[in-house]
Amino acid sequence: MSYSLIRPLLFALDAERAHGLTLGLIDTLHSFGFLRAFNHQTEPSPVTVMGIEFPNPVGLAAGLDKNGEHIDALAELGFGFLEIGTVTPRPQPGNPKPRLFRLPEAEGIINRMGFNNGGVDALIENVQRAQYKGVLGINIGKNADTPIDKATDDYLIGLEKVYEYASYVTVNISSPNTKNLRQLQQADELAHLLDALKAKQLALANRDGRYVPLALKIAPDLDAHQVEDIAERLINSGIDAVIATNTTLARTGVEHLKHGKEAGGLSGAPVRSKSTHVIRDLTEALHGKVPIIGAGGILAGEHAVEKIRAGASLVQLYSGLIYRGPQLVADSIEAIAALHD
């Protein structure tokens, strides 16, 4: 079945409503065994990153399944790994609606969701119910009403709660939709946060007899000096990976479009070059000491290859799925595999 037949119907609806209906449809197709019609089989292409063996290097980015309610269905689409969240210690509704906007002419999306989620305990219950045994990342954030000087407390709560259930844990300090959150990317605050998280990680590893890697997700709106500072903190703290990047606050090339001036983070095609540029800067600054997961603007297999060539070891998809559908997963896997042939 072709996604191109369904897309016009979904795009006729409000973006957030369409998102919910799509996930519901995926669950229904999964429950009746029909979802495999959208899964374009690819040859295995395993890769080891962070000490984890991934069946293939193409994953689902956080944000699509915030509460981990659709894990088994999404796993059937051929991803090498899934990342769920962002989840916060306590449930929160996020920002007022409307808060999700398509920019079809630019193949972009603006969101100001604001970490809407059911809280970490609800996410854990969903993970426990899932049958999925593959690589599962859990993305953690801070509650909107937690003061920024207490943000570390929220991340430590999230890490401790999800540790047992995650293959790796992502620390999201780069969403533009939680007030002052990106302040945590600044040198001294970042060092404090990473040191606290690393200490907690090692304590949990000792407690459980299992080491769960930590990844840091950063913004695309960083200059070369800021990237160098972050790279130095990543190396010094022993963080296991970095995800580059989140959404951008820039509006270059979309200002004139309907919804182009909406507040929030811009993703999809307009962020691709910014994301890849940050990956290149990170590659130069990290000297191979910390692996990079590339995300941002992948709408074709060649875009996934672009991230790998820039220095990423894995890639993640989200907005590209909205515009291209599940075929993008196989296209990206095959393009990366061809690069290594």
Side-chain angles (χ1 to χ4, degrees):
M1 186 182 297
S2 174
Y3 176 73
S4 62
L5 299 176
I6 301 172
R7 196 184 101 162
L9 301 176
L10 295 173
F11 274 42
L13 302 173
D14 166 78
E16 189 166 350
R17 185 179 176 213
H19 179 88
L21 287 173
T22 300
L23 290 172
L25 176 61
I26 288 173
D27 282 341
T28 300
L29 292 170
H30 168 70
S31 65
F32 285 100
F34 296 146
L35 194 57
R36 62 180 59 93
F38 289 92
N39 183 354
H40 305 270
Q41 296 295 323
T42 58
E43 292 296 318
S45 51
V47 58
T48 300
V49 180
M50 300 183 285
I52 301 169
E53 183 172 299
F54 294 79
N56 68 65
V58 179
L60 176 68
L64 193 144
D65 188 6
K66 291 178 179 291
N67 295 307
E69 297 170 300
H70 312 280
I71 294 171
D72 289 332
L74 291 167
E76 218 175 315
L77 296 178
F79 293 104
F81 61 106
L82 304 176
E83 186 170 316
I84 59 175
T86 298
V87 67
T88 54
R90 292 169 284 109
Q92 61 181 31
N95 292 321
K97 298 179 182 179
R99 55 192 180 181
L100 186 63
F101 308 90
R102 302 185 201 91
L103 284 64
E105 302 93 334
E107 295 188 305
I109 293 171
I110 292 176
N111 92 83
R112 52 172 179 265
M113 304 299 286
F115 288 169
N116 56 305
N117 72 101
V120 67
D121 293 332
L123 177 139
I124 289 170
E125 289 178 7
N126 290 329
V127 172
Q128 289 174 316
R129 278 194 294 266
Q131 300 299 306
Y132 178 66
K133 302 302 180 187
V135 179
L136 181 69
I138 301 181
N139 186 303
I140 58 173
K142 84 167 194 72
N143 280 108
D145 60 359
T146 298
I148 197 66
D149 61 347
K150 301 291 185 183
T152 297
D153 296 342
D154 273 13
Y155 286 103
L156 292 174
I157 291 168
L159 176 59
E160 180 157 13
K161 291 207 169 193
V162 306
Y163 191 89
E164 178 183 349
Y165 307 97
S167 304
Y168 69 91
V169 177
T170 297
V171 180
N172 187 351
I173 58 169
S174 51
S175 169
N177 301 315
T178 297
K179 186 178 179 181
N180 296 328
L181 187 69
R182 289 189 172 186
Q183 181 179 320
L184 296 175
Q185 294 179 131
Q186 296 175 7
D188 291 343
E189 294 185 60
L190 181 60
H192 171 74
L193 174 64
L194 295 184
D195 288 348
L197 286 167
K198 190 66 185 182
K200 174 65 77 172
Q201 176 199 35
L202 295 176
L204 292 169
N206 185 59
R207 182 195 72 183
D208 294 355
R210 172 175 170 261
Y211 182 86
V212 176
L214 279 174
L216 182 75
K217 188 166 188 176
I218 65 172
D221 306 309
L222 300 167
D223 61 31
H225 179 68
Q226 290 172 309
V227 171
E228 287 175 9
D229 279 348
I230 289 172
E232 182 180 351
R233 295 325 184 267
L234 289 169
I235 293 169
N236 291 343
S237 63
I239 296 300
D240 302 283
V242 57
I243 301 178
T245 65
N246 212 317
T247 58
T248 181
L249 289 169
R251 292 294 183 269
T252 306
V254 305
E255 316 96 314
H256 62 291
L257 299 178
K258 182 180 180 182
H259 302 309
K261 294 184 179 179
E262 290 285 351
L266 173 64
S267 60
V271 79
R272 183 169 69 242
S273 62
K274 288 176 72 72
S275 165
T276 303
H277 187 77
V278 170
I279 293 170
R280 289 196 186 101
D281 285 348
L282 278 170
T283 300
E284 184 175 339
L286 289 169
H287 308 294
K289 295 178 180 178
V290 180
I292 301 166
I293 302 172
I298 299 174
L299 281 87
E302 65 198 67
H303 302 155
V305 167
E306 178 184 282
K307 305 294 189 198
I308 299 295
R309 283 180 169 155
S313 299
L314 304 167
V315 298
Q316 292 182 321
L317 312 178
Y318 185 173
S319 297
L321 296 169
I322 308 302
Y323 285 98
R324 295 288 187 267
Q327 177 65 44
L328 179 62
V329 181
D331 289 349
S332 298
I333 295 168
E334 290 168 354
I336 294 171
L339 178 66
H340 296 313
D341 285 346

